Amino acid sequence: MTLHVLLSAAAHLPAQVSGLIREDDAVLLLGDGVYLQAHFSSQTQLYLRQQDLQQRGIQASTGQTISDEEWVALTLTHQPVVSWS
């Protein structure tokens, strides 16, 4: 179970990552990565950091919002953790 962490809103990231996501993988959007939420299907286990959404004045339209504590829990239950920027 891989955790894919997207840290930026770079236009190439959704296409690059989508081809690598397996059924039991998860995607976590941090920082400007929260702007990419619309690029992931409802079948993707998608998580968005609540603080990053609030700082940018946007709401989650898909996926699950999580706290910092839940973020840490995700990193402990998924291996490997792969960061994309």
Side-chain angles (χ1 to χ4, degrees):
M1 294 190 320
T2 300
L3 177 62
H4 299 274
V5 181
L6 281 68
L7 302 164
S8 78
H12 69 277
L13 282 180
Q16 188 175 7
V17 174
S18 292
L20 301 173
I21 297 173
R22 302 287 180 243
E23 186 176 321
D24 57 348
D25 289 353
V27 174
L28 171 60
L29 304 180
L30 298 177
D32 285 341
V34 296
Y35 291 116
L36 299 175
Q37 63 182 308
H39 294 277
F40 292 93
S41 73
S42 60
Q43 287 110 6
T44 303
Q45 293 182 54
L46 182 64
Y47 300 93
L48 301 96
R49 185 172 174 242
Q50 180 65 40
Q51 184 176 348
D52 293 323
L53 290 166
Q54 288 175 341
Q55 288 174 343
R56 287 153 183 83
I58 60 175
Q59 294 188 2
S61 60
T62 187
Q64 177 181 343
T65 60
I66 61 170
S67 66
D68 287 345
E69 292 81 12
E70 292 167 312
W71 171 15
V72 171
L74 277 176
T75 65
L76 295 174
T77 58
H78 290 78
Q79 292 298 323
V81 176
V82 180
S83 297
W84 301 84
S85 59

